Amino acid sequence: FGSSLHRTSKIVVAEFLSSTPNMLNARKKIVKEKGAAATDLENEVAKALFDIEVSPSSDIKAELRDVVISGAKEVEVSKSGAAVVVHVPFRVWKTVRKIQGRLIRELEKKFNKRSVIFVANRTILDLNFKRKGLKVRPRTRTLTSVHESILEDVVGPTEIV
């Protein structure tokens, strides 16, 4: 009795996994703090990233393997439409930066009439940083430096003159 029940539960689990393989793998592309639930837009972006990664014609497949997202928001830009702001952890920002132009083009094809912007998550340390156990506050963690870096992320592959 027990072995047949165990076998049928394995079959049910196998059928579930085969019916939703993309969704489970796309969820691996989302990294949230303390296991917070992902929004529909974040799931959509993760699925698009996963689709680009597994497509045979993709030239950025190898670089996309390490890329994960930590959040996504839709922002109204003007009458013309909206933009999707995708937040990535700072540790994968260097990889995203290399393929940013091609990745934005691929994602904009999937999200019609919406621009895509990538921004790295950065930490701002206030003046009471000694509570965090640090002796010196790094310049990259100051309010001004973080805001300038976010502005550079938003303008993307182009340069500020």
Side-chain angles (χ1 to χ4, degrees):
F1 174 71
S3 64
S4 66
L5 179 65
H6 183 68
R7 208 172 341 183
T8 56
S9 66
K10 277 187 174 179
I11 292 170
V12 169
V13 169
E15 287 175 2
F16 173 74
L17 291 176
S18 65
S19 66
T20 58
N22 286 351
M23 206 56 208
L24 288 175
N25 290 327
R27 282 196 190 121
K28 291 179 185 172
K29 289 284 184 193
I30 303 173
V31 176
K32 300 283 274 185
E33 288 185 23
K34 298 181 181 98
T39 63
D40 291 338
L41 182 64
E42 290 167 352
N43 285 330
E44 197 177 335
V45 171
K47 187 173 180 338
L49 283 173
F50 183 73
D51 290 345
I52 294 169
E53 184 181 337
V54 297
S55 73
S57 62
S58 176
D59 58 335
I60 54 176
K61 183 187 297 194
E63 290 95 345
L64 264 181
R65 191 168 296 123
D66 302 330
V67 174
V68 292
I69 65 169
S70 58
K73 292 180 184 169
E74 190 161 7
V75 180
E76 289 298 319
V77 179
S78 63
K79 297 172 190 161
S80 62
V84 178
V85 180
V86 180
H87 298 277
V88 297
F90 186 75
R91 59 186 162 77
V92 298
W93 178 244
K94 193 177 273 190
T95 308
V96 172
R97 190 81 180 167
K98 280 188 241 173
I99 59 171
Q100 189 174 11
R102 291 177 285 173
L103 187 57
I104 286 174
R105 256 182 269 125
E106 291 290 327
L107 285 175
E108 283 178 349
K109 286 179 198 170
K110 297 203 181 277
F111 302 120
N112 49 351
K113 294 188 178 181
R114 289 193 281 186
S115 301
V116 179
I117 300 168
F118 283 96
V119 177
N121 287 345
R122 291 186 166 83
T123 305
I124 299 172
L125 290 178
D126 62 350
L127 295 175
N128 298 329
F129 61 91
K130 291 187 174 137
R131 282 187 278 170
K132 304 250 194 267
L134 299 170
K135 299 264 189 262
V136 180
R137 179 171 65 159
R139 295 271 184 214
T140 57
R141 305 282 170 81
T142 62
L143 179 83
T144 306
S145 174
V146 168
H147 284 214
E148 285 175 357
S149 300
I150 290 173
L151 185 61
E152 294 230 352
D153 295 349
V154 168
V155 295
T158 60
E159 293 194 12
I160 300 173
V161 179

